[in-house]
Short mmCIF file of all heavy atoms in Angstrom, two decimals:
data_model
loop_
_atom_site.label_atom_id
_atom_site.label_comp_id
_atom_site.label_asym_id
_atom_site.label_seq_id
_atom_site.Cartn_x
_atom_site.Cartn_y
_atom_site.Cartn_z
N VAL A 626 -10.46 -39.41 6.72
CA VAL A 626 -9.71 -38.31 6.09
C VAL A 626 -8.21 -38.46 6.27
O VAL A 626 -7.45 -37.56 5.93
CB VAL A 626 -10.13 -36.92 6.65
CG1 VAL A 626 -11.59 -36.67 6.36
CG2 VAL A 626 -9.86 -36.82 8.14
N GLY A 627 -7.80 -39.60 6.79
CA GLY A 627 -6.41 -39.77 7.21
C GLY A 627 -5.39 -39.72 6.10
O GLY A 627 -4.20 -39.67 6.38
N ASP A 628 -5.84 -39.70 4.83
CA ASP A 628 -4.82 -39.61 3.77
C ASP A 628 -4.36 -38.17 3.59
O ASP A 628 -3.43 -37.90 2.86
CB ASP A 628 -5.38 -40.16 2.45
CG ASP A 628 -6.60 -39.39 1.98
OD1 ASP A 628 -7.31 -38.83 2.85
OD2 ASP A 628 -6.83 -39.32 0.77
N ARG A 629 -5.02 -37.23 4.26
CA ARG A 629 -4.60 -35.83 4.23
C ARG A 629 -3.74 -35.56 5.47
O ARG A 629 -3.95 -36.17 6.50
CB ARG A 629 -5.80 -34.89 4.32
CG ARG A 629 -6.98 -35.25 3.48
CD ARG A 629 -7.04 -34.39 2.27
NE ARG A 629 -6.31 -35.03 1.19
CZ ARG A 629 -5.81 -34.41 0.14
NH1 ARG A 629 -5.93 -33.12 0.04
NH2 ARG A 629 -5.18 -35.06 -0.79
N PRO A 630 -2.84 -34.60 5.37
CA PRO A 630 -2.13 -34.20 6.58
C PRO A 630 -3.15 -33.61 7.55
O PRO A 630 -4.07 -32.90 7.13
CB PRO A 630 -1.19 -33.09 6.10
CG PRO A 630 -1.16 -33.19 4.62
CD PRO A 630 -2.43 -33.84 4.18
N GLY A 631 -3.01 -33.94 8.82
CA GLY A 631 -4.03 -33.47 9.74
C GLY A 631 -3.48 -33.12 11.11
O GLY A 631 -2.36 -33.46 11.48
N ILE A 632 -4.31 -32.40 11.83
CA ILE A 632 -3.99 -32.04 13.21
C ILE A 632 -5.21 -32.36 14.07
O ILE A 632 -6.32 -31.97 13.73
CB ILE A 632 -3.66 -30.53 13.34
CG1 ILE A 632 -2.43 -30.18 12.48
CG2 ILE A 632 -3.40 -30.16 14.80
CD1 ILE A 632 -2.12 -28.68 12.40
N LEU A 633 -4.99 -33.12 15.13
CA LEU A 633 -6.07 -33.39 16.08
C LEU A 633 -6.05 -32.26 17.10
O LEU A 633 -5.07 -32.07 17.82
CB LEU A 633 -5.82 -34.74 16.75
CG LEU A 633 -6.85 -35.17 17.80
CD1 LEU A 633 -8.24 -35.31 17.21
CD2 LEU A 633 -6.42 -36.47 18.45
N VAL A 634 -7.15 -31.50 17.12
CA VAL A 634 -7.19 -30.35 18.01
C VAL A 634 -8.06 -30.67 19.22
O VAL A 634 -9.26 -30.88 19.08
CB VAL A 634 -7.79 -29.12 17.27
CG1 VAL A 634 -7.77 -27.89 18.18
CG2 VAL A 634 -7.02 -28.83 15.99
N TYR A 635 -7.44 -30.75 20.38
CA TYR A 635 -8.21 -30.89 21.61
C TYR A 635 -8.61 -29.50 22.06
O TYR A 635 -7.78 -28.74 22.57
CB TYR A 635 -7.38 -31.58 22.70
CG TYR A 635 -7.26 -33.07 22.49
CD1 TYR A 635 -6.06 -33.62 22.05
CD2 TYR A 635 -8.33 -33.91 22.77
CE1 TYR A 635 -5.93 -34.99 21.87
CE2 TYR A 635 -8.22 -35.28 22.58
CZ TYR A 635 -7.02 -35.81 22.14
OH TYR A 635 -6.90 -37.16 21.95
N ASN A 636 -9.87 -29.16 21.85
CA ASN A 636 -10.34 -27.83 22.22
C ASN A 636 -11.01 -27.89 23.60
O ASN A 636 -11.15 -28.97 24.18
CB ASN A 636 -11.31 -27.32 21.15
CG ASN A 636 -11.68 -25.86 21.35
OD1 ASN A 636 -10.83 -25.04 21.70
ND2 ASN A 636 -12.95 -25.55 21.15
N LYS A 637 -11.42 -26.76 24.09
CA LYS A 637 -12.06 -26.61 25.41
C LYS A 637 -11.14 -27.11 26.52
O LYS A 637 -11.61 -27.64 27.53
CB LYS A 637 -13.40 -27.37 25.46
CG LYS A 637 -14.40 -26.93 24.39
CD LYS A 637 -15.82 -27.34 24.73
CE LYS A 637 -16.76 -27.02 23.57
NZ LYS A 637 -18.16 -27.29 23.86
N MET A 638 -9.85 -26.94 26.34
CA MET A 638 -8.91 -27.42 27.35
C MET A 638 -8.99 -26.59 28.64
O MET A 638 -8.46 -27.00 29.67
CB MET A 638 -7.48 -27.43 26.79
CG MET A 638 -7.23 -28.55 25.80
SD MET A 638 -7.58 -30.19 26.48
CE MET A 638 -6.23 -30.37 27.65
N ASP A 639 -9.67 -25.43 28.55
CA ASP A 639 -9.89 -24.66 29.78
C ASP A 639 -10.78 -25.41 30.76
O ASP A 639 -10.78 -25.11 31.96
CB ASP A 639 -10.50 -23.30 29.43
CG ASP A 639 -11.77 -23.44 28.59
OD1 ASP A 639 -11.65 -23.81 27.39
OD2 ASP A 639 -12.86 -23.19 29.11
N LEU A 640 -11.51 -26.39 30.27
CA LEU A 640 -12.40 -27.17 31.14
C LEU A 640 -11.69 -28.38 31.74
O LEU A 640 -12.25 -29.10 32.55
CB LEU A 640 -13.64 -27.65 30.37
CG LEU A 640 -14.52 -26.58 29.72
CD1 LEU A 640 -15.65 -27.21 28.92
CD2 LEU A 640 -15.07 -25.63 30.79
N VAL A 641 -10.45 -28.63 31.29
CA VAL A 641 -9.74 -29.83 31.72
C VAL A 641 -8.74 -29.48 32.82
O VAL A 641 -7.83 -28.67 32.60
CB VAL A 641 -9.00 -30.49 30.53
CG1 VAL A 641 -8.25 -31.74 30.98
CG2 VAL A 641 -9.99 -30.83 29.43
N GLY A 642 -8.94 -30.06 34.00
CA GLY A 642 -8.04 -29.74 35.10
C GLY A 642 -6.85 -30.68 35.14
O GLY A 642 -5.71 -30.25 35.32
N GLY A 643 -7.09 -31.94 34.95
CA GLY A 643 -6.03 -32.94 35.16
C GLY A 643 -5.19 -33.23 33.94
O GLY A 643 -4.74 -32.30 33.28
N ASP A 644 -5.00 -34.50 33.68
CA ASP A 644 -4.11 -34.90 32.58
C ASP A 644 -4.68 -34.52 31.23
O ASP A 644 -5.88 -34.54 31.03
CB ASP A 644 -3.89 -36.42 32.61
CG ASP A 644 -3.07 -36.82 33.82
OD1 ASP A 644 -2.41 -35.92 34.40
OD2 ASP A 644 -3.09 -38.01 34.18
N LYS A 645 -3.75 -34.23 30.32
CA LYS A 645 -4.18 -33.95 28.95
C LYS A 645 -4.61 -35.25 28.28
O LYS A 645 -3.93 -36.28 28.43
CB LYS A 645 -3.01 -33.37 28.15
CG LYS A 645 -2.69 -31.94 28.50
CD LYS A 645 -1.49 -31.48 27.70
CE LYS A 645 -1.26 -29.98 27.88
NZ LYS A 645 -0.05 -29.54 27.20
N PRO A 646 -5.69 -35.19 27.53
CA PRO A 646 -6.08 -36.40 26.80
C PRO A 646 -5.07 -36.71 25.69
O PRO A 646 -4.39 -35.81 25.20
CB PRO A 646 -7.44 -36.03 26.21
CG PRO A 646 -7.48 -34.55 26.19
CD PRO A 646 -6.62 -34.07 27.30
N GLU A 647 -4.97 -37.97 25.34
CA GLU A 647 -4.06 -38.40 24.28
C GLU A 647 -4.83 -39.27 23.31
O GLU A 647 -5.69 -40.06 23.72
CB GLU A 647 -2.90 -39.24 24.86
CG GLU A 647 -1.85 -38.44 25.58
CD GLU A 647 -0.88 -37.71 24.65
OE1 GLU A 647 -0.83 -38.09 23.45
OE2 GLU A 647 -0.22 -36.76 25.11
N ALA A 648 -4.53 -39.13 22.03
CA ALA A 648 -5.19 -39.99 21.04
C ALA A 648 -4.62 -41.39 21.13
O ALA A 648 -3.46 -41.58 21.52
CB ALA A 648 -4.96 -39.43 19.65
N GLY A 649 -5.44 -42.35 20.80
CA GLY A 649 -4.97 -43.73 20.76
C GLY A 649 -4.22 -43.99 19.47
O GLY A 649 -3.87 -43.05 18.74
N ASP A 650 -3.98 -45.27 19.21
CA ASP A 650 -3.19 -45.58 18.02
C ASP A 650 -3.99 -45.43 16.73
O ASP A 650 -3.52 -45.74 15.65
CB ASP A 650 -2.55 -46.98 18.12
CG ASP A 650 -3.59 -48.02 18.46
OD1 ASP A 650 -4.79 -47.69 18.37
OD2 ASP A 650 -3.21 -49.15 18.82
#
Side-chain angles (χ1 to χ4, degrees):
V626 298
D628 60 332
R629 317 257 90 202
I632 299 173
L633 179 61
V634 183
Y635 284 106
N636 188 40
K637 303 199 187 185
M638 286 304 289
D639 54 289
L640 301 177
V641 180
D644 291 342
K645 285 178 172 175
E647 285 283 342
D650 52 13

